[in-house]
Amino acid sequence: MFKLNDVKEPQLFRKLFPFDEVPRLTFDNEYILPALPENVWITDTTFRDGQQSRPPYLVEQIVQLYKYLHKLSGPKGLVRVTEFFLYSKKDREAVDKCRDLGYKFPIITGWIRANKEDFKLVKEMKIEETGILTSVSDYHIFLKLKKTRKQVMTSYLEIVSAALDAGITPRCHLEDITRADFFGFVIPFVRELMELQRQSGIPIKIRACDTMGYGVSFPNATLPRSVPKIINSLIKYGEVPSEQLEWHGHNDLHKVHVNSVAAWLYGCCAVNTSLLGIGERTGNSPLEAAVIEYLSLFGNKKMKVDTTVITEIGEYFENELNYKIPNNYPFLGKDFNTTRAGIHADGIIKNKEIYSVFNTEKLLNRTLDVSIADKTGVASIAHWINTHLLKSRKMVDSINKRHPGIKRINDWIEKQYLDGRTTIISNEEMTEQVKIHMPELVESDFDKLYARVEMLALGILEEILERPEIKTMDPVKIEPILLSYDNMYHFMQFMYVINTKGERITSNITQKEYKKKYDNYAFDLDFSNRKWFKEPIRTKKPHVSDFYTSLITGELCFTVSAPIIDDDKKILGVIGIDIMFEELAAVAPNYRKHEYGE
């Protein structure tokens, strides 16, 4: 019924794709009904398509993003699968490190071209599922590959058969499906794949790829552009089970997210996404948008997703990957839930629900905000201060609009606009005004520096504790580890391990220039009454001391300490590091968070 139409000339659908004009949309007014599956999920291409439009991620960055994907997946795996390139040593190292984490979700899969050399990589890496590039439009078959439909179908089926023979689940990526001859190539090819599935007993997954973003969500539009008809036809005529069907879109015509939702609604179980929608050219369907869309369709009782992770991901992209998220980008832009209209600001102050899409503070850990302009007024200034400054410093008492400092800030704002200003007052300017008129509310530069220094020190301490040698409580095994860190970080004045009796079991581990000063430092001192020892024992958590001047070196120091706990949750002792504050503060700006354990 559906036989390959091995045409001699390419079918380019020039009435739909005139090239010198905007692509056309046609309708046949043949409607199909939605068929939302009972279970749908999200797949991810951040490490594949997501790396094709930005500088490649470092291995440690891939691992951190994979951790975020796992955290966002929830216990049931809303983000079910992610895919990796396998070509470079770095790609394969990233796969190994992510697999070593032992997460159930997202499942790690590969991506290869449809050739046998690429397939060797999948077997070598022992990947259980891989995507295989199988272009289906004549634009690709004739104009790019310079082959006939029969030739490419034969080569595709050969590589899929090789995967099945190796016990690997193939995921065929039907590239450029929205410009393909559906019943002349796509359906005949897919039916051949389903026949291979029946013969092998191994499921073959189908990813429908809207490579150029031509898809539309209208059920009465014609093939090959109608997403509902594509999904319906693959299920009805291609005999592909919904749970083996996946949609992959691009945003060239601003339709990527709505097309993904349409794929779900018309029977596709999986939609492929990337973090922040980063991908080739205009990008892919944003993963965070798909998460919110899923919750709008099914609620959160089943998946138990922690949506605040979305905000953590955005902060990581901006702070660690130096990726500038547009201010008005939904869910993640710094102004996405900020209103600038004075009348709206007044409404927010009276009731947050009036101008908030949902409780962003609860679901995204993002406080509803207002921008400051000429008609803002003292109430909005108070709201801004309570939101931006007091909450971040965990102050309990809010500032009332009648505070005299707010009146002075309002006077400054009014003068700005009387003098001809036309732009909004930035958050940085507001902070400066609060520093001038309400200095007691603003975190000092020293406070910020100390917070960063403390985080650095605790991160290094955590990293040391992860070394298995520490739990042995054997000085012979512990001391080389401590010495390696002491040599690496010049700001470490003194490092030591104490047993539960308060006795130091390690020798004097310090910087070379201080070794003589520590020669007379007693080895048999009892540290059991020291706060840096007692607190980790009591709380089973790390402890940071107050500043003090070292009696031995005269340096301004603070101590970080933490309990050493074995696999049975038994406390074995305490590890401590005396940190020279000024030494660490001098180098703190050079460290990124992922380099010290956060």
Side-chain angles (χ1 to χ4, degrees):
M1 181 180 176
F2 298 103
K3 293 184 178 180
L4 172 68
N5 184 9
D6 193 23
V7 296
K8 297 189 180 300
E9 297 296 326
Q11 169 60 279
L12 303 179
F13 298 100
R14 281 303 181 202
K15 289 184 179 180
L16 294 177
F17 309 110
F19 193 62
D20 289 332
E21 301 175 31
V22 173
R24 300 293 175 78
L25 188 58
T26 58
F27 297 86
D28 57 16
N29 291 322
E30 293 181 8
Y31 287 87
I32 56 175
L33 295 176
L36 179 64
E38 184 178 345
N39 295 305
V40 303
W41 53 86
I42 297 166
T43 64
D44 171 71
T45 187
T46 295
F47 309 126
R48 204 268 303 174
D49 211 329
Q51 291 200 90
Q52 293 181 182
S53 65
R54 53 151 287 125
Y57 297 115
L58 302 176
V59 170
E60 61 265 30
Q61 292 169 345
I62 290 175
V63 173
Q64 181 59 58
L65 290 173
Y66 181 72
K67 289 179 180 178
Y68 281 129
L69 289 173
H70 168 72
K71 193 174 178 182
L72 188 56
S73 296
K76 300 292 182 66
L78 176 56
V79 184
R80 186 74 55 89
V81 172
T82 188
E83 61 186 344
F84 287 76
F85 283 126
L86 303 174
Y87 296 114
S88 71
K89 181 180 178 181
K90 187 202 77 173
D91 295 331
R92 297 189 289 275
E93 181 184 354
V95 169
D96 285 336
K97 289 197 171 183
C98 289
R99 282 198 295 204
D100 288 344
L101 295 171
Y103 295 153
K104 183 177 180 181
F105 300 112
I107 298 166
I108 292 172
T109 70
W111 182 94
I112 61 171
R113 295 159 299 199
N115 66 61
K116 293 180 181 179
E117 289 301 312
D118 283 10
F119 183 61
K120 290 179 182 178
L121 294 171
V122 180
K123 291 194 291 186
E124 290 171 1
M125 291 295 294
K126 298 180 181 179
I127 298 287
E128 295 181 0
E129 177 184 321
T130 187
I132 301 172
L133 178 60
T134 54
S135 300
V136 293
S137 78
D138 286 352
Y139 284 86
H140 286 235
I141 294 170
F142 282 83
L143 306 185
K144 179 182 176 182
L145 300 175
K146 305 296 184 183
K147 294 183 178 181
T148 66
R149 291 180 179 181
K150 185 175 182 179
Q151 287 173 329
V152 296
M153 183 185 289
T154 299
S155 65
Y156 295 164
L157 294 174
E158 285 178 357
I159 192 68
V160 170
S161 295
L164 295 171
D165 290 342
I168 294 170
T169 298
R171 184 182 62 243
C172 294
H173 293 203
L174 308 187
E175 192 82 1
D176 206 24
I177 197 169
T178 47
R179 287 193 295 186
D181 183 350
F182 225 79
F183 295 104
F185 184 82
V186 175
I187 294 301
F189 173 48
V190 169
R191 289 174 69 89
E192 289 286 342
L193 291 173
M194 293 301 101
E195 179 58 31
L196 288 178
Q197 174 178 283
R198 282 187 285 271
Q199 294 173 9
S200 67
I202 298 175
I204 297 176
K205 298 183 180 181
I206 302 297
R207 177 183 288 182
C209 301
D210 183 16
T211 306
M212 297 304 300
Y214 288 125
V216 294
S217 59
F218 312 131
N220 60 330
T222 58
L223 286 168
R225 293 191 64 186
S226 172
V227 176
K229 281 192 170 75
I230 289 173
I231 300 303
N232 178 267
S233 298
L234 288 170
I235 295 171
K236 183 177 179 179
Y237 304 115
E239 301 181 351
V240 182
S242 291
E243 61 270 17
Q244 291 169 220
L245 195 54
E246 181 183 13
W247 176 261
H248 170 93
H250 280 264
N251 202 33
D252 297 75
L253 295 175
H254 277 297
K255 299 179 186 294
V256 68
H257 177 63
V258 71
N259 284 343
S260 294
V261 178
W264 265 344
L265 291 177
Y266 286 87
C268 183
C269 281
V271 295
N272 190 236
T273 64
S274 67
L275 290 172
L276 279 69
I278 299 171
E280 180 73 7
R281 300 184 316 280
T282 56
N284 306 114
S285 190
L287 185 143
E288 64 280 359
V291 170
I292 298 299
E293 200 73 53
Y294 173 91
L295 297 176
S296 74
L297 290 169
F298 295 96
N300 202 17
K301 287 185 179 180
K302 180 180 178 180
M303 287 297 180
K304 295 180 172 55
V305 173
D306 179 4
T307 47
T308 63
V309 179
I310 292 172
T311 300
E312 294 178 28
I313 291 169
E315 291 172 348
Y316 184 79
F317 266 88
E318 289 223 313
N319 298 333
E320 303 305 324
L321 303 180
N322 297 317
Y323 181 84
K324 179 67 177 75
I325 300 174
N327 291 347
N328 63 345
Y329 186 84
F331 312 137
L332 291 173
K334 71 176 185 178
D335 293 335
F336 101 91
N337 60 340
T338 298
T339 184
R340 290 182 171 83
I343 190 170
H344 289 183
D346 183 62
I348 287 171
I349 293 166
K350 291 175 180 175
N351 190 308
K352 294 180 180 179
E353 289 189 52
I354 296 173
Y355 292 110
S356 185
V357 65
F358 49 68
N359 188 339
T360 57
E361 188 166 357
K362 175 184 177 182
L363 298 179
L364 295 174
N365 200 24
R366 292 285 302 273
T367 307
L368 193 61
D369 204 359
V370 296
S371 286
I372 306 300
D374 57 333
K375 298 178 178 63
T376 297
V378 292
S380 291
I381 296 172
H383 176 84
W384 186 94
I385 292 172
N386 290 327
T387 298
H388 287 260
L389 300 181
L390 301 197
K391 185 183 176 186
S392 65
R393 300 202 67 190
K394 300 180 181 178
M395 294 183 177
V396 177
D397 297 330
S398 61
I399 293 297
N400 188 278
K401 65 182 182 181
R402 295 178 179 82
H403 190 291
I406 289 181
K407 171 67 168 59
R408 292 192 291 270
I409 293 172
N410 190 54
D411 290 342
W412 175 83
I413 291 169
E414 289 182 349
K415 186 176 186 304
Q416 289 286 303
Y417 290 100
L418 285 173
D419 291 344
R421 180 170 182 152
T422 58
T423 58
I424 64 168
I425 306 295
S426 69
N427 289 343
E428 291 75 18
E429 288 175 296
M430 281 296 295
T431 301
E432 284 302 311
Q433 288 302 306
V434 174
K435 282 183 180 179
I436 295 169
H437 300 293
M438 307 166 76
E440 70 279 5
L441 302 183
V442 182
E443 186 178 29
S444 70
D445 290 339
F446 178 80
D447 290 336
K448 293 177 183 178
L449 176 62
Y450 180 67
R452 184 167 178 81
V453 164
E454 179 182 305
M455 192 178 295
L456 274 165
L458 287 173
I460 294 170
L461 183 64
E462 180 183 343
E463 185 179 304
I464 296 172
L465 278 169
E466 289 177 354
R467 297 294 297 264
E469 295 90 343
I470 303 299
K471 293 181 182 179
T472 66
M473 295 300 287
D474 181 352
V476 175
K477 295 179 179 179
I478 293 173
E479 289 182 5
I481 303 300
L482 301 187
L483 282 168
S484 68
Y485 277 88
D486 196 61
N487 292 333
M488 191 185 311
Y489 299 113
H490 192 264
F491 47 78
M492 292 182 176
Q493 178 175 285
F494 191 45
M495 304 176 71
Y496 38 88
V497 171
I498 314 295
N499 65 23
T500 53
K501 296 179 181 179
E503 301 165 340
R504 181 159 60 92
I505 66 171
T506 50
S507 59
N508 294 338
I509 297 175
T510 185
Q511 300 296 325
K512 291 179 180 179
E513 61 265 37
Y514 298 133
K515 283 193 179 298
K516 287 186 178 180
K517 294 184 178 182
Y518 273 96
D519 279 347
N520 297 323
Y521 190 63
F523 188 81
D524 57 353
L525 283 177
D526 181 1
F527 296 100
S528 61
N529 65 340
R530 305 290 179 92
K531 188 175 181 180
W532 56 259
F533 175 82
K534 293 192 297 182
E535 283 302 298
I537 295 289
R538 182 181 68 83
T539 65
K540 295 186 177 181
K541 295 179 179 179
H543 173 74
V544 182
S545 77
D546 295 330
F547 284 121
Y548 60 88
T549 300
S550 172
L551 295 175
I552 296 176
T553 66
E555 298 284 350
L556 178 65
C557 294
F558 67 97
T559 295
V560 290
S561 55
I564 301 170
I565 302 174
D566 68 12
D567 295 337
D568 296 323
K569 309 300 181 184
K570 179 183 176 182
I571 295 179
L572 305 175
V574 171
I575 182 171
I577 309 175
D578 297 344
I579 303 288
M580 294 180 283
F581 174 74
E582 292 180 1
E583 291 270 0
L584 178 51
V587 298
N590 298 327
Y591 287 87
R592 294 177 291 179
K593 289 179 184 175
H594 71 269
E595 292 178 311
Y596 52 82
E598 183 179 84

